[in-house]
Amino acid sequence: QKEVEQDPGPLSVPEGAIVSLNCTYSNSAFQYFMWYRQYSRKGPELLMYTYSSGNKEDGRFTAQVDKSSKYISLFIRDSQPSDSATYLCAMILYNQGGKLIFGQGTELSVKP
Amino acid sequence: NAGVTQTPKFQVLKTGQSMTLQCAQDMNHEYMSWYRQDPGMGLRLIHYSVGAGITDQGEVPNGYNVSRSTTEDFPLRLLSAAPSQTSVYFCATSLSGLNEQFFGPGTRLTVL
């Protein structure tokens, strides 16, 4: 079993829909949580970074962390065709700074 | 300011050949890392370095060597290429292991 599990999709939604992307993890020592976005044939880029349970909002994006359930989510409101990409969750163990462990990535397609 | 650069962009090798993937950064970041990305697997950490002269293994280090003689460069060496090493390779850097990691554009490697 992988340390970080993410539904690979693909996920297809109409423009304007609310998108929910999820990851679960097994090691309670994970303390830092990130979401990366990766466009086709490009390197990943950081979208959201949080280290505490609860919600963090940035424009149309909300990252949610539930450490008690070992579950993180990314919500995208009013999705746009430009949001079509692969979304990867990633996390770091508190005592192993630098060892970023990724989920498998979810491929999202937003149709006009 | 080029950020993170990787060379070559594409490479085809025959089984048993050796090669070095280059990664350079001009961001004065201490932390550098190498990942490989395979379909359905997300990104997996190969090796990382917390500063010049210091390297450590990630999740999938077998078949790869690294060294870090300067802050700017972190080459990845394949000593005897195998078809299982066919993948897209990404280099990433960050100020420290707990900060945002900036990814290069990737190297697409095929081993025949």
Side-chain angles (χ1 to χ4, degrees), chain B residues 33-67:
Chain B
S33 56
W34 276 102
Y35 296 86
R36 60 177 289 174
Q37 186 172 34
D38 304 292
M41 302 290 289
L43 282 91
R44 291 181 292 170
L45 181 65
I46 304 172
H47 285 286
Y48 68 102
S49 168
V50 299
I54 306 168
T55 63
D56 205 348
Q57 296 182 350
E59 298 174 85
V60 288
N62 292 341
Y64 307 95
N65 273 1
V66 292
S67 60

Side-chain angles (χ1 to χ4, degrees), chain B residues 64-78:
Chain B
Y64 307 95
N65 273 1
V66 292
S67 60
R68 183 97 179 269
S69 55
T70 67
T71 298
E72 294 78 21
D73 301 293
F74 190 42
L76 178 73
R77 281 183 288 278
L78 282 70

Side-chain angles (χ1 to χ4, degrees), chain A residues 11-17 79-82 84 108-112:
Chain A
L11 186 60
S12 181
V13 302
E15 183 176 354
S79 57
Q80 303 294 310
S82 58
S84 297
L108 172 67
S109 177
V110 181
K111 305 293 186 187

